[in-house]
Amino acid sequence: GKSYPAQLGIVRILIRNGEYREALFLIEKLYSLYSQHIEVCYLFVDILIGSNELERALLLVTDSLSVNPDDMTMTLKYADILQKRGQNAQAIRMLKVIESVAGSSKDSVRIRGSILVNEKNYSQAAVLLKDAVYNYPDDSGLRALYGSILLITGDEGEGRLYLEDSLEANPDSLGSLVLLTEEAISAGDWIRATDLVEKLLAKDDSDIYLRYAVKIYQNLGDSSKVFALSTRIIEEGQPLYSDYTVYIDLLLREGNVKASLEMTDRWLKASSSPVERSHFYYLKSLAQTDTGEKLDSLRQSLFENLQNLDAIMAIADAYYDLGEKRKSYRYLKQAFIMDPDDNQIRRSEERRVGKECRSRWSPYH
């Protein structure tokens, strides 16, 4: 295997690039062999913080400080964990102690800036980090944080420049790529977002970033790409309600009834949320051609959630198709009571209900 210094060097590169999963695997092995080496402890804490495993990081930090309470580097990491946990007042108190002993550093400034962001004090954070970027011009992490604050405060152009600059200084930086991708999505700049998200997925294809790609390709109208990405999330990831919704919608548009029914049943088995289950029974009804089966699914949808307007309207449609116009109208009337401003309900009422029936039942007369 590689020497101890070489392994530490690899871990540092992985941390700088934001590749925490790979770094964690390596550092755990190193820690089992060299737990007495403080440098290994520092890197282990950095990786746990970067992976958002804050409880594990806190245990490691408090263990280390119980042995060496004067370790300012570890105390600074403690302050970072506190701000990430939202314990801003404690973090600030700790920073004051650190800076009185060791002075200000790029890390203490970054933590102060992050605390101001936590407290939504963006203007003060921008002032602090503008100075920090000037004082520590080679720190791509500070540039990325400053860029993200500029995006939040509405200075998208300059914010993007700082993030792009940070990415140029560290082309493997996952954090800058994520922020730039999010900025392109919020700006609706789908072509630029495509380029960014493909680079992002090459580094980290976890579900959250696959969902970014789904949103981007949906807006570009690329159904085949959306389908491929959604399939990956559902078959290989930890799919959510929204992933199945996108996937089933595509299957229905393609007329793939069998797969649509399989997917709705799959989520119905997985979900305990009445609102979600109601929506999926409604989707199931869209894949069914037999009116009786369709009505059964729609009734089940309303059993789960009486407020499901789509299901109520679909029941009205089904009864209308069966020629049971009075039943159809009762559901239309129920839909109207729930949402009197819905133009679709109004149009359905005008189109479907005959003059005689309308004069007796219509909410408009």
Side-chain angles (χ1 to χ4, degrees):
K2 292 183 175 67
S3 69
Y4 169 73
Q7 287 179 306
L8 278 188
I10 291 166
V11 169
R12 285 194 187 94
I13 290 166
L14 290 169
I15 291 171
R16 194 183 71 218
N17 297 347
E19 295 174 41
Y20 294 110
R21 279 186 295 188
E22 293 84 347
L24 189 56
F25 175 73
L26 280 178
I27 203 71
E28 281 174 336
K29 289 205 297 188
L30 278 173
Y31 188 73
S32 68
L33 297 169
Y34 307 106
S35 61
Q36 75 280 11
H37 290 207
I38 193 63
E39 195 56 41
V40 173
C41 290
Y42 290 158
L43 292 173
F44 200 173
V45 172
D46 289 343
I47 291 162
L48 291 171
I49 291 173
S51 307
N52 208 33
E53 291 196 38
L54 301 180
E55 297 308 314
R56 277 183 78 189
L58 193 57
L59 281 173
L60 200 57
V61 165
T62 49
D63 281 353
S64 180
L65 287 172
S66 68
V67 177
N68 184 6
D70 298 326
D71 184 339
M72 286 298 114
T73 302
M74 197 60 90
T75 308
L76 196 57
K77 295 182 193 303
Y78 195 177
D80 200 11
I81 293 166
L82 289 172
Q83 73 84 9
K84 286 185 188 299
R85 284 161 57 107
Q87 294 167 266
N88 298 323
Q90 283 175 259
I92 288 167
R93 281 199 299 273
M94 202 166 280
L95 280 175
K96 283 178 180 172
V97 172
I98 294 163
E99 288 174 344
S100 70
V101 174
S104 179
S105 67
K106 64 182 180 184
D107 287 325
S108 70
V109 170
R110 177 182 54 77
I111 295 165
R112 279 192 180 279
S114 300
I115 290 167
L116 290 167
V117 171
N118 291 350
E119 295 173 341
K120 296 186 167 43
N121 192 342
Y122 301 122
S123 56
Q124 203 176 328
V127 171
L128 178 75
L129 286 157
K130 186 175 184 180
D131 288 344
V133 164
Y134 179 78
N135 293 327
Y136 306 102
D138 298 329
D139 193 287
S140 58
L142 281 171
R143 298 182 82 77
L145 182 58
Y146 183 46
S148 68
I149 289 165
L150 291 173
L151 293 183
I152 292 166
T153 54
D155 196 345
E156 288 91 352
E158 195 178 355
R160 192 191 311 156
L161 284 175
Y162 270 96
L163 287 168
E164 286 170 349
D165 192 29
S166 169
L167 194 60
E168 198 175 318
N170 181 11
D172 293 314
S173 167
L174 191 67
S176 296
L177 254 181
V178 169
L179 287 166
L180 282 166
T181 306
E182 289 171 348
E183 185 274 326
I185 290 170
S186 66
D189 192 342
W190 305 115
I191 302 302
R192 184 163 58 88
T194 305
D195 179 51
L196 288 163
V197 85
E198 291 300 338
K199 287 178 184 170
L200 180 54
L201 290 176
K203 293 183 184 306
D204 186 340
D205 61 352
S206 51
D207 293 353
I208 185 171
Y209 304 134
L210 287 169
R211 289 186 189 104
Y212 286 1
V214 165
K215 183 169 184 176
I216 291 161
Y217 286 110
Q218 273 181 316
N219 280 279
L220 288 170
D222 190 338
S223 296
S224 61
K225 197 81 176 172
V226 173
F227 191 79
L229 291 160
S230 298
T231 303
R232 274 178 72 186
I233 297 170
I234 286 170
E235 299 303 338
E236 300 166 27
Q238 300 290 320
L240 303 173
Y241 162 76
S242 55
D243 301 317
Y244 276 94
T245 304
V246 169
Y247 193 63
I248 293 165
D249 183 54
L250 286 169
L251 290 171
L252 287 168
R253 277 195 248 166
E254 287 181 359
N256 193 338
V257 170
K258 186 170 180 289
S260 300
L261 290 170
E262 283 171 5
M263 281 296 155
T264 51
D265 285 340
R266 192 160 149 181
W267 186 256
L268 284 166
K269 282 175 189 161
S271 177
S272 58
S273 160
V275 172
E276 288 179 12
R277 290 173 62 78
S278 176
H279 181 63
F280 276 84
Y281 274 116
Y282 166 71
L283 290 179
K284 186 174 183 175
S285 79
L286 298 180
Q288 293 169 316
T289 50
D290 180 86
T291 307
E293 287 179 358
K294 191 185 283 283
L295 274 169
D296 284 344
S297 293
L298 291 167
R299 287 190 196 102
Q300 190 63 43
S301 175
L302 285 188
F303 174 76
E304 297 284 353
N305 175 21
L306 285 168
Q307 306 300 309
N308 189 333
L309 198 56
D310 288 329
I312 292 168
M313 291 291 291
I315 291 175
D317 289 346
Y319 277 127
Y320 189 81
D321 292 341
L322 288 169
E324 297 188 47
K325 294 185 181 180
R326 283 179 177 254
K327 278 187 181 178
S328 172
Y329 190 65
R330 275 207 299 275
Y331 280 94
L332 269 178
K333 187 177 181 183
Q334 186 181 336
F336 174 80
I337 290 164
M338 282 175 60
D339 191 351
D341 298 323
D342 191 308
N343 287 328
Q344 185 189 344
I345 300 169
R346 187 181 290 265
R347 283 195 299 272
S348 293
E349 192 271 346
E350 293 294 341
R351 186 172 66 250
R352 294 181 180 182
V353 183
K355 284 180 185 176
E356 181 185 344
C357 190
R358 184 158 62 239
S359 65
R360 287 185 60 189
W361 293 92
S362 176
Y364 306 113
H365 293 275

